[in-house]
Amino acid sequence: QTASSPAKSGDLLVYQDGPQKGQVVKVADLKEGAAVWAQAVDPATKKPRDAMKSGVVIVRLKPSEIKASSQKNAVNGVVAYSSVCTHQGCPAKEIGSIGQGKGNIICTCHGSIYDPRDNATVLGGPAPRRLPALPLKTDAAGELVAAGEFTGKIGPK
Ligand code: FES
């Protein structure tokens, strides 16, 4: 592990916006088919390792929907990916409700679409490559915890 990695095994995931901002994300709080925007934080300092690059989009899915490509990084039907769009770095942090974006992670800047069931593969829009995954596990309190580093480089090349 490198000092500059924007997430490390054991990092907690903390809401980045909304009414629960600053709280640790628990599996029980997540609704199927919905996304939350969080940051991986160092459990010792409670601070993100990188204000820009530690962002994650967390999605709860039906466990049966999760493809083999995503299963090793998922826990209890929950998957997490870097929320830094690989196109130009806007936050890819929502689930679409219409068209090809329906049920998929979307970046509203220019309409990139990523499949949360299939390792965030690109389904549409200008994104040149998938979002790196953040492997997950849970702790005894049912909190989401990073089980490793991001699986690839964060954001645009
Ligand atoms: Fe996300 Fe352009 S920055 S689609």
Side-chain angles (χ1 to χ4, degrees):
Q1 294 187 336
T2 58
S4 62
S5 173
K8 292 186 179 185
S9 183
D11 280 1
L12 291 168
L13 301 174
V14 168
Y15 286 91
Q16 196 163 178
D17 64 359
Q20 290 160 288
K21 185 172 179 176
Q23 292 176 26
V24 173
V25 180
K26 294 187 173 189
V27 174
D29 297 340
L30 302 172
K31 291 196 200 76
E32 212 169 82
V36 305
W37 193 28
Q39 271 184 331
V41 304
D42 180 339
T45 65
K46 299 285 192 289
K47 296 220 165 81
R49 297 186 188 278
D50 183 306
M52 288 285 296
K53 294 182 175 174
S54 296
V56 289
V57 55
I58 299 170
V59 187
R60 184 165 200 170
L61 300 161
K62 278 195 185 57
S64 60
E65 293 180 321
I66 299 177
K67 305 252 168 77
S69 59
S70 283
Q71 268 165 9
K72 67 175 183 301
N73 296 324
V75 65
N76 297 347
V78 180
V79 291
Y81 300 98
S82 166
S83 61
V84 185
C85 185
T86 63
H87 179 224
Q88 291 179 3
C90 285
K93 62 180 176 71
E94 289 171 36
I95 293 292
S97 56
I98 53 166
Q100 197 183 17
K102 191 169 182 182
N104 293 309
I105 298 165
I106 56 170
C107 175
T108 55
C109 279
H110 316 98
S112 287
I113 302 170
Y114 304 92
D115 187 349
R117 300 159 207 81
D118 191 9
N119 208 18
T121 191
V122 178
L123 297 178
R129 59 198 170 85
R130 67 180 71 232
L131 301 168
L134 184 67
L136 295 177
K137 60 187 179 184
T138 55
D139 66 12
E143 296 169 340
L144 284 176
V145 179
E149 298 188 358
F150 285 106
T151 57
K153 275 228 188 305
I154 305 300
K157 276 265 165 9

